[in-house]
Amino acid sequence: MISQNTPLAVLKPKDFASDQDVRWCPGCGDYAILKQTQKVLANLGSRRENTVFVAGIGCSSRFPYYMGTYGFHTIHGRGAAVATGVKIANPELDVWLVTGDGDGLSIGGNHLMHALRRNVGLNIMLFNNRIYGLTKGQYSPTSEQGKKTPSTPMGSIDPPLSPLSIAVAAEASFVARSVDVDKSLTDVLETAAKHPGTSLVEIYQDCNVFNHEAFAYATGRRGFEKEDHVLRLEAGQPMIFGKDRDKGIRLTDLKPEVVQLGDGVSEADLLVHDPSDHCLAFLLSRLRHPEFPEPVGVIYAAEKPRYEELVAGQVAEARERRPDANLRDLLHAGETFTVEA
């Protein structure tokens, strides 16, 4: 038996790995996310017995098998509903939801949206590879128009969804983005985990089998200089980007535009990032490559009442009002009838 005064061992990233062989396709971006997540848990001082990973269906949803924590592999698109139940039943748990652009934005879009607006204390990682990988390469809700796949041989005619725009519009209290192999991912996940409420981090993830290098511009592959295509957000700092930090984002007539610093344009003319500005967050969620660099980092963060706390408060109030109430009386209240043999 462990005494309350017994110091707990400091866990390392490897302590959060399970004994299962990690089985994704060689070169899959999920490997990098897994390693960084284990590092984040160690940095945060998380406890394995107090941590739960919930997932739906998809390549990303194998995540719970590879974590040396509690885990719950649910059904397609229902991870957010199960994670919400876990958090309400035991608010002391650190609950992570791992989902993908297919699992979370198609069949699971309704559940994800309501988890975000309720502000349940969940850390949501949404892997976005713009393809259905597990079912062999069909187009997904985030695939670009014109995408040719087995299910759209002539090219997709559907406009893509923006996970960040959906999250901001659904009144999420924390919205961020990173890239599977980017140096920012660890910091972004740590910040998200510390947020009191729902955090959603969209992670650009390479499916090297069915949609390889879809985000080459954000990873520096295929000859791209990634700093020319990524806008690294810092609170209170002007929106500057580029390998030589010589470009910026300016607002003109309420519309964002890319400008070159110098020749009459200075840092004072640029937009300054304010993570608490909801309107600015939506604007940032609409910046898309190749016209704009894509924002990486914390898009929006605000403190709001947490759903599990509101539920607990309502339950306490109900018990105070009716201390003698019981479930049998509730089920037999109102109009009832008896069926006799």
Side-chain angles (χ1 to χ4, degrees):
M1 181 175 180
I2 300 177
S3 165
Q4 291 184 348
N5 298 321
T6 303
L8 296 173
V10 176
L11 299 181
K12 299 178 180 179
K14 65 179 182 180
D15 295 318
F16 289 97
S18 74
D19 60 357
Q20 300 296 300
D21 291 334
V22 182
R23 295 190 178 184
W24 284 306
C25 300
C28 176
D30 289 358
Y31 286 96
I33 302 173
L34 176 65
K35 287 295 184 183
Q36 294 211 54
T37 302
Q38 291 166 347
K39 179 181 177 182
V40 165
L41 294 181
N43 291 348
L44 293 170
S46 301
R47 310 308 303 174
R48 290 177 295 183
E49 66 275 12
N50 200 55
T51 305
V52 184
F53 276 82
V54 180
I57 296 296
C59 296
S60 63
S61 297
R62 298 179 65 85
F63 219 86
Y65 293 104
Y66 307 140
M67 297 298 300
T69 64
Y70 285 109
F72 202 131
H73 194 177
T74 72
I75 57 178
H76 204 188
R78 271 56 177 187
V82 172
T84 296
V86 171
K87 187 64 178 180
I88 291 175
N90 191 342
E92 300 304 314
L93 293 176
D94 294 327
V95 184
W96 295 72
L97 170 63
V98 182
T99 187
D101 48 305
D103 180 66
L105 296 177
S106 56
I107 191 170
N110 179 55
H111 293 292
L112 182 68
M113 176 182 68
H114 292 299
L116 292 170
R117 76 178 178 90
R118 287 170 175 150
N119 200 37
V120 187
L122 307 176
N123 307 308
I124 303 174
M125 296 193 295
L126 191 150
F127 297 13
N128 182 7
N129 55 24
R130 293 179 178 165
I131 204 76
Y132 277 103
L134 188 67
T135 51
K136 307 302 183 286
Q138 297 82 8
Y139 80 116
S140 84
T142 58
S143 294
E144 67 276 17
Q145 281 185 304
K147 185 71 176 179
K148 292 185 177 180
T149 74
S151 58
T152 53
M154 297 178 64
S156 170
I157 60 174
D158 293 359
L161 290 176
S162 166
L164 297 185
S165 296
I166 290 173
V168 174
E171 303 293 338
S173 62
F174 184 99
V175 183
R177 176 193 281 146
S178 190
V179 184
D180 52 8
V181 294
D182 193 77
K183 61 185 180 182
S184 69
L185 180 56
T186 298
D187 289 340
V188 168
L189 289 178
E190 284 190 26
T191 305
K194 294 174 183 176
H195 176 73
T198 304
S199 66
L200 180 134
V201 179
E202 177 190 24
I203 305 173
Y204 282 167
Q205 178 260 336
D206 186 49
C207 176
N208 62 311
V209 174
F210 297 108
N211 203 21
H212 189 34
E213 296 185 345
F215 303 106
Y217 59 87
T219 58
R221 294 171 177 156
R222 291 206 317 237
F224 282 100
E225 172 51 61
K226 69 177 180 180
E227 298 305 327
D228 287 335
H229 303 278
V230 168
L231 174 64
R232 298 190 183 278
L233 298 172
E234 295 182 58
Q237 297 299 313
M239 296 185 188
I240 299 174
F241 69 100
K243 178 183 178 182
D244 300 318
R245 295 189 60 78
D246 57 350
K247 303 180 185 70
I249 303 295
R250 180 175 67 182
L251 202 61
T252 302
D253 296 330
L254 298 180
K255 295 181 179 179
E257 63 173 347
V258 174
V259 293
Q260 188 78 31
L261 293 175
D263 297 329
V265 178
S266 69
E267 291 187 14
D269 299 312
L270 304 180
L271 271 172
V272 174
H273 185 43
D274 179 2
S276 68
D277 189 327
H278 197 257
C279 292
L280 178 61
F282 192 78
L283 182 149
L284 289 171
S285 77
R286 307 307 297 168
L287 299 187
R288 293 181 177 176
H289 184 266
E291 183 181 0
F292 293 99
E294 295 200 353
V296 168
V298 179
I299 308 289
Y300 181 70
E303 290 194 15
K304 299 179 181 180
R306 285 184 287 176
Y307 188 72
E308 62 272 19
E309 293 178 342
L310 296 176
V311 169
Q314 196 171 68
V315 169
E317 182 182 352
R319 285 174 173 169
E320 185 177 346
R321 290 184 180 182
R322 296 279 305 276
D324 57 341
N326 60 71
L327 184 60
R328 179 179 176 79
D329 290 343
L330 177 64
L331 293 176
H332 288 81
E335 298 180 5
T336 61
F337 59 92
T338 302
V339 176
E340 296 181 356

